[in-house]
Amino acid sequence: MRAITVHTTTSCQKCRITKRKLDDAKIPYATINASEKGNELLADAIRARADELNSPAEMPYVTVYDEHNVLIADWFSFRPDLINEHILEAN
């Protein structure tokens, strides 16, 4: 089973759309609000990952891990193509 985390911010429309697509497909996932107090280090790590990927740090930031806890995919923003490829087709 793949472990999915949707990293969000408080007023993120694309975050809500991403979660709705997963909810509609009945795919379990965790949500972490990176803008909440106490998550500053997480927010910094997300920005650093965006730099590594040469991508704008546009939320949500989605991570997908396999059953061995190996990162198999991660991306920024609402990406229905990647949701289909890495999550829906795998379940």
Side-chain angles (χ1 to χ4, degrees), residues 1-90:
M1 181 85 171
R2 294 185 176 184
I4 301 136
T5 302
V6 180
H7 300 82
T8 67
T9 57
T10 303
S11 60
C12 172
Q13 181 63 26
K14 290 181 181 180
C15 299
R16 286 190 287 279
I17 295 168
T18 297
K19 293 189 297 183
R20 187 178 316 122
K21 184 161 180 71
L22 295 172
D23 290 341
D24 289 348
K26 298 184 179 10
I27 302 294
Y29 61 92
T31 302
I32 300 173
N33 187 331
S35 65
E36 286 183 349
K37 185 176 175 130
N39 286 343
E40 293 84 4
L41 291 177
L42 173 62
D44 290 343
I46 290 170
R47 282 189 288 277
R49 182 61 177 155
D51 289 344
E52 288 175 17
L53 295 174
N54 198 27
S55 171
E58 183 177 288
M59 299 303 266
Y61 171 57
V62 179
T63 57
V64 182
Y65 287 84
D66 69 10
E67 62 276 1
H68 303 290
N69 204 32
V70 174
L71 181 67
I72 57 173
D74 63 330
W75 63 86
F76 287 89
S77 194
F78 175 60
R79 293 290 308 272
D81 57 326
L82 294 176
I83 291 171
N84 288 336
E85 177 182 348
H86 294 289
I87 299 171
L88 299 182
E89 291 176 3

